[in-house]
Amino acid sequence: MYHIAPTMLCADLFKMRESMELLDKLGIDWFHIDVMDGNFVPNFAFGTDFLRQMTTVGKSPFYLHLMAARPEEYVDLFAELGVEYYCFHYECTQNPFRLCQQIKKQGMKAAAALNPATPVQFLRDLIPYLDAVTLMSVEPGFSGQRFMEFTYQRIKELRALADGFKLLIEVDGGIDIEIAKKCIDAGCDVVVGGYFTLFQKGKSIEKNYETFRQAVRNR
């Protein structure tokens, strides 16, 4: 089973409620929620008040992708909001094992994200403590960037490292339908849908989702 995760950063903010309710009905696997602090990445997105409103609307699980410094300081806050996956950037913490323990203590699933330049091998010993890994296929911070082709090899490397563990591999950034197929063939479980798939301008989310879903699952 392969999963499609809409990144709500690409949704129309003025129609967020309608978009989330529609995506829930379509049967998405989880909402990919980007939180950016303007420090680790040069952009800001989805403050806690706005996210609190989102969690009251969305029924599907929330995958929090935290692009922020000091991720250990926000675990309790996002646990309180009902987040299911807490994904921190490996580059942002000096104590990833302790952070995973902290996340799971609060009842969430632990996930780590890797920037394109961070070697996959860095996660070798951390994998047993993780439920998911997000491989960035663009530099984090802005949507609409071009997919980095070497990501396919990184997926294969991570899948080999995770052999024997129940680890979900998510790929995030610049994914269109053809790229999604190649990512799945390389070994990923979850593809993030953004501007090039689910939220293409001039097309309905329903039509985009069905086209994406059929292509990914019947490739």
Side-chain angles (χ1 to χ4, degrees):
M1 177 66 71
Y2 306 110
H3 306 278
I4 296 172
T7 174
M8 302 314 293
L9 185 66
C10 295
D12 186 338
L13 297 183
F14 290 102
K15 298 180 180 179
M16 184 61 75
R17 175 182 289 273
E18 295 94 321
S19 296
M20 294 185 73
E21 290 176 343
L22 175 57
L23 288 166
D24 270 329
K25 290 179 181 178
L26 292 173
I28 63 166
D29 298 291
W30 64 52
F31 291 108
H32 183 100
I33 307 295
D34 293 308
V35 172
M36 297 183 275
D37 65 351
N39 183 5
F40 176 62
V41 292
N43 197 6
F44 296 89
F46 295 142
T48 53
D49 289 338
F50 190 73
L51 181 56
R52 182 174 288 107
Q53 294 299 315
M54 294 174 76
T55 57
T56 64
V57 174
K59 306 303 179 186
S60 301
F62 277 67
Y63 187 99
L64 178 78
H65 179 195
L66 185 65
M67 289 173 270
R70 304 184 304 280
E72 62 279 354
E73 296 183 7
Y74 307 109
V75 174
D76 294 350
L77 171 62
F78 290 114
E80 179 187 343
L81 294 180
V83 166
E84 181 161 342
Y85 286 86
Y86 188 98
C87 180
F88 62 91
H89 265 265
Y90 181 85
E91 300 85 1
C92 289
T93 180
Q94 295 182 346
N95 301 290
F97 295 95
R98 185 184 304 161
L99 180 52
C100 286
Q101 292 172 346
Q102 186 181 355
I103 292 167
K104 294 191 175 186
K105 185 178 179 180
Q106 289 297 329
M108 296 182 290
K109 295 178 180 178
L114 289 185
N115 282 350
T118 303
V120 169
Q121 296 290 332
F122 284 10
L123 293 182
R124 176 184 294 276
D125 296 326
L126 191 63
I127 285 174
Y129 300 83
L130 294 170
D131 296 289
V133 170
T134 293
L135 290 178
M136 295 302 301
S137 45
V138 300
E139 287 289 353
F142 294 95
S143 300
Q145 299 180 63
R146 186 173 180 177
F147 180 88
M148 295 179 174
E149 295 286 328
F150 58 80
T151 304
Y152 301 127
Q153 181 58 36
R154 287 166 60 77
I155 297 170
K156 294 176 183 178
E157 291 174 6
L158 181 57
R159 179 52 66 202
L161 281 179
D163 185 39
F165 296 97
K166 293 182 179 180
L167 182 79
L168 291 174
I169 298 176
E170 180 189 68
V171 180
D172 181 13
I175 297 174
D176 62 20
I177 288 176
E178 292 307 312
I179 289 172
K181 293 178 183 179
K182 292 179 181 179
C183 286
I184 290 170
D185 288 339
C188 93
D189 307 286
V190 187
V191 287
V192 173
Y195 285 133
F196 302 121
T197 50
L198 299 181
F199 300 107
Q200 292 184 67
K201 291 184 178 180
K203 298 181 180 180
S204 71
I205 292 176
E206 289 174 291
K207 183 176 180 179
N208 287 338
Y209 178 80
E210 184 58 25
T211 299
F212 194 19
R213 187 184 69 82
Q214 291 292 340
V216 166
R217 298 184 179 180
N218 300 321
R219 70 194 190 288

